[in-house]
């Protein structure tokens, strides 16, 4: 059976301005590992020479269980728990157990992850499917081994790589297997057709995405972008005054530090630490509330990581620019 072509963006969305402030965030990204077995040129965390104050590590299982307990304190389940962040989640040997624990706790309507897929194998595939994960998103970096070497710096047996995805898909049951590649990896129609031929029988859905400047103040990625006039959803680029992401999501890093956006890869604005406080207190706490008010007031430049960030312009599903005063009145 051939896979469906299309992205996984949720189209049935609430008007964000009508529901702010949310008692429960829609999405929380819990990063099982900011370590990665790849060193892709477009990845600020793994490729840049930035000296981080935090270390690269996998998340401790006990910390994760504490986070699940914290999430259960919200008045309703999350719409989605994303088990990924700035590294390769499957580097964490406890990943399947973590998903299983969260699934049994019923803290989210859906649990998903994004992986480079290189660590998949039949044994791990069995564990991933049995843990109850709802969606596995696999980032394909190239359509051959040579391309993988150039992009990731690693040797990948491409045939085995695809067969391991096929094995995962055959075992997937109710878990959706979604594969995507970026436009610069398939620059012509022949390459696009080849990608489709390779992938359409080993997943449920696939898509060719655009390379966008995901990380604030990381210019390396601009060297490989096809253009800067069109967003990831095919929309024309427009300046976004009020970034919507911190109003409905949070990032929990492997050491328990909480940040308000995935673009804050240097952790310039930490809103809490789950080693010392609960997720509920962070969500309702003064640092995040201060950020909401400043963003709604058009003062995003007060935050260092926001000044150069263009992520909302390229990948924004919620346009709340005209509702700043309304949001402020509700805060």
């Amino acid at each position: 059976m051939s896979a469906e072509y299309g992205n996984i963006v949720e189209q049935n969305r609430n008007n964000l301005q009508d529901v702010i402030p949310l008692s429960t965030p829609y999405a929380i990204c819990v990063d099982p590992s900011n370590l990665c077995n790849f060193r892709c040129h477009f990845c600020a965390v793994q490729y840049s020479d930035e000296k981080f104050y935090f270390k690269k590590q996998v998340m401790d299982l006990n910390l994760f269980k504490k986070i699940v307990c914290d999430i259960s304190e919200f008045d309703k389940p999350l719409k989605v728990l994303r088990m990924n962040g700035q590294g390769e989640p499957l580097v964490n040997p406890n990943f399947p157990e973590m998903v299983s624990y969260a699934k049994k706790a019923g803290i989210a309507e859906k649990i998903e992850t994004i992986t480079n897929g290189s660590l998949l194998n039949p044994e791990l595939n069995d564990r991933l499917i049995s843990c109850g994960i709802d969606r596995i998103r696999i980032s394909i970096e190239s359509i051959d081994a040579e391309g993988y070497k150039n992009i990731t710096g690693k040797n990948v047996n491409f045939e085995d790589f695809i067969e391991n995805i096929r094995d995962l898909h055959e075992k997937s049951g109710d878990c959706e297997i979604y594969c995507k590649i970026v436009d610069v990896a398939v620059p012509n129609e022949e390459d696009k057709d080849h990608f489709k031929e390779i992938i359409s029988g080993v997943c449920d859905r696939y898509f060719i995405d655009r390379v966008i400047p995901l990380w604030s103040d990381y210019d390396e990625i601009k060297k490989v972008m096809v253009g800067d006039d069109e967003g990831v959803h095919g929309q024309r680029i427009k300046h976004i005054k009020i970034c919507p992401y911190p109003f409905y999501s949070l990032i929990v890093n492997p050491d328990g530090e909480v940040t308000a956006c995935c673009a804050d890869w240097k952790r310039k604005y930490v809103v809490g630490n789950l080693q010392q406080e609960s997720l509920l207190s962070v969500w309702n706490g003064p640092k995040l509330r201060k950020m909401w008010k400043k963003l709604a007031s058009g003062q995003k430049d007060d935050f260092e990581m926001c000044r150069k960030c263009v992520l909302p312009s390229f990948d924004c599903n919620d346009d709340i620019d005209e509702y700043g005063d309304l949001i402020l009145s509700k805060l």
Side-chain angles (χ1 to χ4, degrees), residues 36-43 46-47 116 118 141-142 144-157:
C36 189
N37 58 327
F38 283 175
R39 193 167 182 264
C40 301
H41 294 217
F42 55 78
C43 180
Q46 308 301 334
Y47 190 77
N116 63 38
S118 64
E141 308 304 342
S142 178
D144 55 38
E146 181 182 0
Y148 261 89
K149 179 66 174 180
N150 292 336
I151 294 169
T152 71
K154 301 292 182 179
N155 291 314
V156 172
N157 185 314

Side-chain angles (χ1 to χ4, degrees), residues 15 42 75 81 181 189 191 211 214:
N15 292 323
F42 55 78
D75 64 352
L81 173 66
I181 197 167
E189 290 304 315
D191 289 337
V211 171
L214 172 60

Side-chain angles (χ1 to χ4, degrees), residues 31-33 58-61 88-96 98:
D31 192 353
S33 169
V58 300
M59 179 175 282
D60 178 76
L61 182 58
E88 169 50 48
L90 300 185
V91 167
N92 191 322
N94 294 317
F95 181 86
M98 295 163 86

Side-chain angles (χ1 to χ4, degrees), residues 127-313:
R127 296 176 64 205
L128 288 173
I129 298 306
S130 64
C131 75
I133 195 165
D134 297 290
R135 178 188 286 150
I136 299 174
R137 299 160 62 178
I138 303 172
S139 293
I140 310 293
E141 308 304 342
S142 178
I143 54 175
D144 55 38
E146 181 182 0
Y148 261 89
K149 179 66 174 180
N150 292 336
I151 294 169
T152 71
K154 301 292 182 179
N155 291 314
V156 172
N157 185 314
F158 191 73
E159 288 73 22
D160 287 351
F161 171 67
I162 296 299
E163 284 308 306
N164 284 327
I165 298 176
R166 186 189 307 279
D167 178 77
L168 179 69
H169 183 233
E170 289 175 350
K171 298 171 177 176
S172 60
D174 294 332
C175 174
E176 181 183 18
I177 309 302
Y178 171 74
C179 294
K180 70 177 183 67
I181 197 167
V182 291
D183 50 2
V184 296
V186 283
N188 56 57
E189 290 304 315
E190 182 180 355
D191 289 337
K192 290 180 174 66
D193 289 342
H194 187 45
F195 170 66
K196 179 179 178 180
E197 180 183 350
I198 291 169
I199 217 68
S200 64
V202 302
C203 62
D204 299 300
R205 196 180 334 185
Y206 68 100
F207 193 65
I208 299 173
D209 237 333
R210 289 181 58 81
V211 171
I212 62 170
L214 172 60
W215 294 285
S216 174
D217 197 25
Y218 181 63
D219 292 332
E220 182 73 22
I221 197 169
K222 295 178 182 177
K223 297 177 182 178
V224 298
M225 288 176 60
V226 172
D228 58 4
D229 60 341
E230 186 176 299
V232 71
H233 310 297
Q235 80 277 21
R236 288 190 60 81
I237 297 300
K238 61 168 285 188
H239 175 68
I240 299 295
K241 295 184 294 184
I242 305 176
C243 178
Y245 298 119
F247 290 99
Y248 66 84
S249 63
L250 285 175
I251 313 296
V252 182
N253 294 286
D255 57 1
E257 281 195 336
V258 184
T259 48
C261 181
C262 62
D264 187 12
W265 57 287
K266 299 179 185 179
R267 299 195 204 171
K268 292 295 185 180
Y269 193 69
V270 176
V271 296
N273 191 320
L274 302 189
Q275 301 276 10
Q276 291 94 37
E277 57 191 317
S278 73
L279 197 52
L280 185 62
S281 66
V282 172
W283 183 251
N284 294 316
K287 290 200 74 173
L288 192 56
R289 187 61 56 114
K290 174 185 175 182
M291 185 177 205
W292 290 348
K293 290 180 178 179
K294 283 188 172 291
L295 290 176
S297 302
Q299 300 176 59
K300 70 179 183 66
D301 286 353
D302 286 5
F303 302 99
E304 182 179 348
M305 74 285 186
C306 296
R307 289 178 203 143
K308 294 184 179 180
C309 182
V310 295
L311 173 61
S313 296

Side-chain angles (χ1 to χ4, degrees), residues 97-115:
E97 184 178 351
M98 295 163 86
V99 174
S100 180
Y101 189 84
K103 190 71 176 179
K104 290 175 182 176
I107 60 170
E109 296 175 11
K110 180 177 292 185
I111 300 178
E112 67 177 27
T113 192
I114 303 174
T115 171

